[in-house]
Amino acid sequence: MRYFVHIGYNGLHYNGWQKQPGVLNVQGVLEKALTQVLKTPVFIIGCGRTDAHVHASQFFFHMDIEQTWDFDLLFRLNKLLPANIAIFDIIAMDGLQHARFDAVQRSYDYFIHTYKDPFLSGLSSFYLLEDLHFDRMKQAVEILPNYKDYRPFCTSPDKYEHTICNVMSANLAVDSAGDKLRFQIASNRFLSKMIRIIMGQVLKIGKGVLSVDEFESYLVNKQTPALITPAHPQGLYLSKVTYPYLNLPPRTAFSSILQKQTDLSWKTL
């Protein structure tokens, strides 16, 4: 029987999702807990791979279990797992749906705060910046859905069969005080460090060291910037994963300070 498992995690202390020897990773922690509770080796496949220190307010993985259980698996797993990983739902699937390959849209949020705040540390990226050119940053973000080939904004494009991404939406918002930023982007797929590289370029535009035309020229000419500086990882969240047969709202926002979608203090630029 195949099951989809709906989870969320704070990735600050993990070396990403993917299981790797010798480092702490989310996949390895989950497989160890599932194996311990179900008393049989369990291997899982995630909906994607998040980088080290990146969070997921919504994430899915699938697993195949031969025998059903006669106890509250959700309760036992959440009791065993560390506080920074939560299981929200365990969903029996009718068939062999695939958590990674069947996803039709993934949405990410990237948060920045421009003043030192101990309560945002680890949940948002701190950049000590003043007088950002929000209008130019907005222009750059708005052109993203017009392009498909994101080879310029990838650290290792040659490892992919292709670098085409169907970016469906992208927007930038700022809070009423002008000292917190939220970048949101949705696509069918993303390349290695793509969002953090884009955000690094947008910050350069905000500081006035890169023009919007130069930014767009990378996409037009499929030319990688001479200097790639990805934005910090801890401000990035995988926030929504959508399937043709499964479209659940996220169960957590990690920080109400950051991610209140109905908070009127946020204004889309």
Side-chain angles (χ1 to χ4, degrees), residues 64-77:
D64 295 328
I65 307 296
E66 292 185 3
Q67 296 181 343
T68 58
W69 50 88
D70 58 359
F71 52 85
D72 189 339
L73 179 58
L74 187 71
F75 174 80
R76 290 198 186 182
L77 283 174

Side-chain angles (χ1 to χ4, degrees), residues 39-87:
K39 296 180 171 50
T40 186
V42 178
F43 304 97
I44 64 179
I45 295 179
C47 61
R49 299 174 183 174
T50 54
D51 293 338
H53 316 306
V54 171
H55 314 294
S57 45
Q58 182 171 82
F59 194 97
F60 292 92
F61 66 82
H62 76 248
M63 60 182 183
D64 295 328
I65 307 296
E66 292 185 3
Q67 296 181 343
T68 58
W69 50 88
D70 58 359
F71 52 85
D72 189 339
L73 179 58
L74 187 71
F75 174 80
R76 290 198 186 182
L77 283 174
N78 277 322
K79 188 174 181 180
L80 180 62
L81 286 166
N84 51 25
I85 301 177
I87 309 290

Side-chain angles (χ1 to χ4, degrees), residues 94-222:
D94 184 18
L96 296 178
Q97 292 87 346
H98 199 285
R100 180 182 175 190
F101 296 140
D102 289 357
V104 294
Q105 180 174 302
R106 295 169 174 86
S107 300
Y108 279 84
D109 286 63
Y110 189 91
F111 292 96
I112 289 173
H113 59 289
T114 58
Y115 59 95
K116 189 174 181 180
D117 187 327
F119 298 103
L120 297 181
S121 176
L123 295 174
S124 172
S125 289
F126 171 48
Y127 286 91
L128 187 59
L129 299 171
E130 295 180 347
D131 302 321
L132 288 170
H133 300 289
F134 292 130
D135 55 339
R136 299 176 195 172
M137 297 170 75
K138 174 178 181 284
Q139 290 173 32
V141 166
E142 287 180 341
I143 70 172
L144 292 172
N146 298 334
Y147 294 91
K148 300 297 182 185
D149 194 338
Y150 279 82
R151 183 181 181 87
F153 300 143
C154 176
T155 53
S156 50
D158 292 333
K159 77 176 184 179
Y160 297 96
E161 291 184 6
H162 65 85
T163 51
I164 303 301
C165 301
N166 180 22
V167 175
M168 303 159 192
S169 65
N171 65 76
L172 191 68
V174 62
D175 74 338
S176 56
D179 51 23
K180 296 192 194 79
L181 291 162
R182 183 179 69 214
F183 171 56
Q184 296 178 304
I185 186 169
S187 178
N188 65 323
R189 68 195 289 257
F190 291 92
L191 309 175
S192 176
K193 292 184 172 60
M194 172 178 155
I195 300 170
R196 290 171 55 200
I197 292 172
I198 290 173
M199 199 66 240
Q201 296 297 307
V202 171
L203 283 171
K204 288 181 180 180
I205 293 170
K207 291 185 288 185
V209 298
L210 181 71
S211 71
V212 177
D213 287 343
E214 287 175 303
F215 176 79
E216 187 168 14
S217 73
Y218 298 139
L219 292 165
V220 171
N221 300 319
K222 301 177 179 60

